[in-house]
Amino acid sequence: MYRYNDFDAAFVAERNRQFRAQVERRIDGSLTEDEFKPLRLMNGLYLQLHAYMLRVAVPYGTLNSAQMRQLAYIAERWDKGYGHFTTRQNIQYNWPKLRDIPDILDALAEVEMHALQTSGNTIRNVTADHFAGAAKDEIADPRPVAELLRQWSTDHPEFQFLPRKFKIAVTGSPNDRAVTAAHDIGIRIVERDGEIGYQVLVGGGLGRTPMIGKVINDFVSQEDLLPYVEAIVSVWNLLGRRDNKYKARIKITVHEHGIDEIRAMVDERYGELRSAFTGVDQQLFGAIKEAFAPPKFADKPLDAYQQAYDSDPVFRAWADANLWDHVAPGYAIAQISLKAHGATPGDASAEQMRVMADLAEQYGHDELRVSHEQNIVLPHVHKADLPAIHATLKQHGLATSNIGKISDIIACPGMDYCALATARSIPIAQEIATRFDELKIENEIGDLKVKISGCINACGHHHVGHIGILGLDRAGVENYQITLGGDHTEKTSLGERTGPGFGAEEIVPAIETVVQAYLDNRESADEAFIDTYRRVGMAPFKEALYGEQTSKRSRAA
Amino acid sequence: MPRAFTPKVVTANALLEGDVVYLTADDTWTRHLHEAELLTDEAHAQVRLVDASARVDEVVGVYLADMKPTDHGPEPTHFREDFRRTGPSNRNHGKQAEVA
Ligand code: SF4
């Protein structure tokens, strides 16, 4: 596991000391809110609908058990006993008080955590595949390079006042689980003639103007990556539309200038700054890589696993849905669903956090991951231990076997918490999960990703959901638009709107209609929703939703 | 014809707690919407807003929110204000929990 060095610790301590003084000056009136707001945002502190919200960084989604326990402690000591895991692999606390924030930040620093650059116009928390270092299909662990980028971007003097926020994601596997094409920069580890390098995408993003990232360079070598990424951010830092917040993200810059022009400018800038990278970053990278060396895997008989699998249908269902192939023989990646039917997607109580921490310590080489799909992952568990792990999870409401299924919904906080929301998203997710659980057809439906956002900012990734739901305010009433055919994997595609939206009362029946249309149209139970959609197109779904008349009328229009 | 003025209340979030507060007729901040001063005159509403906005060491994000008059005080006309005065719908937290 990567450990912060003395420099990191001193840096975070100094920032916390500064922020403590800034909070005091805000409270005693010497700072106005206008002066204080950028300072609090730099430290991850938002003011939401009902309270402050603190967003804590979980770099590339990796946690150890001590960190998870500290998150539980913070939830109990200063919040309402739970936390919310987000699509950026972070955790948010929904109810902290302003006076307590400096103490919370100090408590985080005790376990090498912080809330820096989780907000504001900076390079945000670098995300990565949540199966990093464990997945069988991986070329290389993406976390060393994510950590290198984290160190490079933290407090980078040139990049503290960017035109807008900037998000980087890294995948080490050709099966992209980090949604790299929907990031400002997406980095994909590739292998060419035995050499590991990086395919770099630029200009992806969701939000108001969704765009799929374009390949700016097919192969950047290890030693060239940092200067190359710096060149990209540097070019955009000058070109980016500071005049218009809605046009400031790099996706618009790439769109307006074209990828070829941007590539040429990046190459030129790269030429100017390459010599400043003298290889220190590569020494650093070497050291980081060592810290991410895989744990010592054990060799144990699999009888206990096989026996449980054969005799316990509940365990079998969980194993079938929630496990993933691990690179080491006898091992599995176990996903812990934070999507119990009817619960808030991504929420975990302090008690649940401690249970997960204990399991990681006892059985999982002390590692946990936060997935962008708002679940928790035990990346390295031996199959022999899975029956015991499952039994413990079951006792704490953590054994839902629905990963990748219709109830494994991504939902942003929406208008239940978020000040920017135009409608709620959590209750819609709760109702869909509850409804399909009642219908008992979840397994029959198979793989289906539903993603819900409470406004156009698309934190719930609705554009890349097989079924996407976007909550809007239509003349003072919550209204939900459906998109179909989005894909968050390496085959990234943006969903297409079905037509007019649905009221809060109508949206769950409408989703049922869409699912029924899929079941009616699929060739066999092996054809997943997204494949059926790609084969038959929008028409049958439209007809099911709006009737023949409407779909004809909208075609004519 | 000029559009009729929609009545309003002055609202904000408390600086220390971050929760929703409303301005009362006697210039205090209340947690309860029904105690808020309903402003039915546009010019008066603007004056109240400006005065309240100056109280920077008490509140953050002061604005005027649309309301309708009822027998039990101002009531929201938009669902966002309804959530603000109630709390989240997925958990019994926020204002709804404090009332009990
Ligand atoms: S998508 Fe909108 S409502 Fe949802 S968290 Fe993001 S900004 Fe808030």
Side-chain angles (χ1 to χ4, degrees):
Chain A
M1 182 102 186
Y2 182 73
R3 308 274 319 186
Y4 284 174
N5 59 25
D6 295 347
F7 174 83
D8 291 306
F11 172 72
V12 170
E14 172 58 16
R15 281 287 298 262
N16 285 355
R17 193 194 59 75
Q18 288 171 2
F19 190 56
R20 183 177 288 277
Q22 288 156 357
V23 169
E24 273 163 26
R25 272 149 58 212
R26 176 69 184 99
I27 290 173
D28 74 17
S30 29
L31 284 178
T32 66
E33 185 61 19
D34 285 348
E35 289 161 337
F36 180 64
K37 188 176 175 186
L39 300 172
R40 72 166 155 80
L41 288 178
M42 280 168 69
N43 290 280
L45 184 63
Y46 288 71
L47 184 54
Q48 295 284 45
L49 272 191
H50 314 292
Y52 286 98
M53 179 272 279
L54 183 69
R55 182 180 292 156
V56 177
V58 182
Y60 30 89
T62 295
L63 289 168
N64 60 31
S65 62
Q67 291 172 322
M68 187 64 118
R69 278 192 202 102
Q70 191 77 336
L71 294 178
Y73 169 73
I74 290 169
E76 259 166 8
R77 171 91 166 71
W78 290 291
D79 206 89
K80 292 191 190 290
Y82 75 102
H84 176 73
F85 291 98
T86 78
T87 53
R88 292 281 307 149
Q89 299 181 306
N90 294 314
I91 181 171
Q92 295 182 175
Y93 292 105
N94 286 326
W95 304 95
K97 305 268 196 297
L98 181 58
R99 266 192 209 290
D100 295 332
I101 301 296
D103 290 342
I104 299 177
L105 294 178
D106 285 348
L108 287 169
E110 285 172 18
V111 291
E112 305 183 341
M113 295 185 76
H114 59 75
L116 302 174
Q117 293 189 198
T118 57
S119 173
N121 295 335
T122 55
I123 298 175
R124 300 286 186 90
N125 184 30
V126 178
T127 53
D129 182 356
H130 41 273
F131 295 165
K136 198 173 181 172
D137 55 14
E138 185 172 274
I139 297 168
D141 189 340
R143 291 173 304 160
V145 79
E147 172 58 24
L148 184 70
L149 287 160
R150 189 196 67 79
Q151 295 193 12
W152 159 82
S153 64
T154 300
D155 224 25
H156 191 303
E158 190 179 334
F159 302 145
Q160 292 305 298
F161 293 93
L162 293 169
R164 277 290 269 152
K165 57 186 164 186
F166 200 85
K167 299 178 183 176
I168 303 177
V170 194
T171 176
S173 158
N175 297 306
D176 186 354
R177 288 174 288 262
V179 212
T180 55
H183 283 77
D184 296 288
I185 288 182
I187 296 176
R188 294 172 171 173
I189 299 181
V190 288
E191 200 172 343
R192 204 173 66 180
D193 307 327
E195 188 194 345
I196 300 259
Y198 304 93
Q199 182 189 57
V200 180
L201 283 74
V202 69
L206 301 175
R208 175 177 302 258
T209 323
M211 303 254 187
I212 296 173
K214 297 178 182 66
V215 175
I216 184 165
N217 197 321
D218 244 333
F219 192 90
V220 178
S221 68
Q222 173 58 54
E223 60 276 13
D224 293 338
L225 183 71
L226 221 44
Y228 192 77
V229 170
E230 179 152 317
I232 295 175
V233 185
S234 179
V235 163
W236 168 68
N237 197 16
L238 287 180
L239 276 186
R241 295 278 303 269
R242 283 183 162 80
D243 62 311
N244 183 339
K245 157 173 175 189
Y246 300 121
K247 296 192 171 168
R249 295 288 289 269
I250 196 171
K251 60 188 174 185
I252 307 290
T253 316
V254 171
H255 184 71
E256 286 182 347
H257 292 260
I259 184 72
D260 295 330
E261 190 183 326
I262 296 290
R263 185 181 295 117
M265 293 172 85
V266 167
D267 286 346
E268 195 188 326
R269 181 72 186 133
Y270 172 80
E272 286 163 13
L273 57 76
R274 180 65 185 88
S275 62
F277 289 77
T278 52
V280 178
D281 61 312
Q282 287 316 296
Q283 288 166 19
L284 200 59
F285 182 68
I288 295 171
K289 232 165 107 174
E290 264 168 44
F292 281 101
K296 262 182 94 71
F297 294 118
D299 192 10
K300 292 196 269 192
L302 289 169
D303 307 341
Y305 169 76
Q306 203 53 48
Q307 201 191 344
Y309 190 87
D310 292 340
S311 63
D312 178 355
V314 178
F315 176 74
R316 183 161 60 240
W318 181 78
D320 286 346
N322 292 35
L323 300 184
W324 203 268
D325 292 342
H326 196 284
V327 65
Y331 272 73
I333 301 169
Q335 300 203 63
I336 303 172
S337 168
L338 297 183
K339 318 284 179 70
H341 299 101
T344 302
D347 277 12
S349 69
E351 179 214 311
Q352 289 176 324
M353 290 185 220
R354 287 199 184 97
V355 167
M356 295 188 283
D358 291 349
L359 287 174
E361 188 173 29
Q362 194 179 349
Y363 301 109
H365 298 277
D366 209 34
E367 268 205 53
L368 295 137
R369 304 286 169 74
V370 182
S371 81
H372 80 267
E373 288 170 328
Q374 301 179 284
N375 293 311
I376 300 296
V377 181
L378 295 171
H380 311 296
V381 285
H382 197 280
K383 285 185 179 170
D385 297 320
L386 284 170
I389 292 172
H390 179 251
T392 304
L393 290 174
K394 227 165 40 176
Q395 286 166 15
H396 297 90
L398 290 168
T400 313
S401 47
N402 63 344
I403 298 293
K405 304 281 196 307
I406 191 169
S407 61
D408 182 12
I409 300 171
I410 290 185
C412 78
M415 202 181 275
D416 288 306
Y417 299 91
C418 178
L420 302 170
T422 43
R424 286 173 299 170
S425 39
I426 291 169
I428 306 300
Q430 293 174 302
E431 283 167 37
I432 292 173
T434 307
R435 179 65 186 144
F436 281 92
D437 192 37
E438 281 165 10
L439 293 173
K440 298 282 168 237
I441 56 169
E442 186 160 22
N443 287 323
E444 193 191 331
I445 298 166
D447 282 354
L448 178 48
K449 305 268 187 194
V450 178
K451 304 182 195 266
I452 311 178
S453 305
C455 83
I456 202 163
N457 290 327
C459 303
H461 294 187
H462 65 276
H463 298 111
V464 291
H466 299 154
I467 298 180
I469 302 175
L470 166 62
L472 294 169
D473 172 353
R474 216 167 125 226
V477 185
E478 287 168 295
N479 190 272
Y480 295 89
Q481 274 181 6
I482 300 177
T483 48
L484 300 178
D487 185 345
H488 66 295
T489 69
E490 63 285 356
K491 293 175 273 187
T492 314
S493 60
L494 302 172
E496 193 190 334
R497 256 182 70 189
T498 55
F502 298 85
E505 309 291 304
E506 305 161 337
I507 182 66
V508 180
I511 297 304
E512 247 184 276
T513 304
V514 168
V515 170
Q516 192 55 52
Y518 153 64
L519 293 174
D520 293 344
N521 279 282
R522 71 180 178 185
E523 277 181 330
S524 74
D526 292 337
E527 192 181 53
F529 179 92
I530 183 71
D531 298 321
T532 301
Y533 177 83
R534 286 189 176 138
R535 183 172 54 79
V536 303
M538 179 64 97
F541 294 98
K542 233 177 173 149
E543 205 167 299
L545 278 173
Y546 305 103
E548 181 137 25
Q549 283 314 91
T550 325
S551 78
K552 258 191 205 144
R553 219 184 307 143
S554 61
R555 270 204 295 273
Chain B
M1 210 179 77
R3 283 226 340 238
F5 178 70
T6 308
K8 302 203 180 346
V9 300
V10 174
T11 182
N13 289 71
L15 173 65
L16 294 180
E17 291 79 13
D19 61 339
V20 174
V21 292
Y22 306 95
L23 189 65
T24 66
D26 56 9
D27 275 337
T28 57
W29 295 104
T30 175
R31 258 81 192 170
H32 307 293
L33 177 58
H34 64 88
E35 292 171 358
E37 177 189 17
L38 188 70
L39 307 162
T40 51
D41 176 79
E42 187 164 7
H44 181 56
Q46 285 304 328
V47 172
R48 298 293 282 158
L49 174 66
V50 170
D51 288 349
S53 302
R55 296 165 70 167
V56 290
D57 50 354
E58 297 169 15
V59 291
V60 182
V62 185
Y63 68 96
L64 292 167
D66 286 356
M67 295 289 155
K68 55 179 182 255
T70 74
D71 293 346
H72 40 275
E75 281 284 315
T77 61
H78 189 278
F79 60 90
R80 187 176 194 272
E81 289 305 323
D82 203 12
F83 290 131
R84 284 184 79 238
R85 66 106 174 241
T86 312
S89 55
N90 64 324
R91 287 176 183 267
N92 186 28
H93 287 156
K95 294 240 175 319
Q96 58 200 345
E98 286 148 23
V99 174

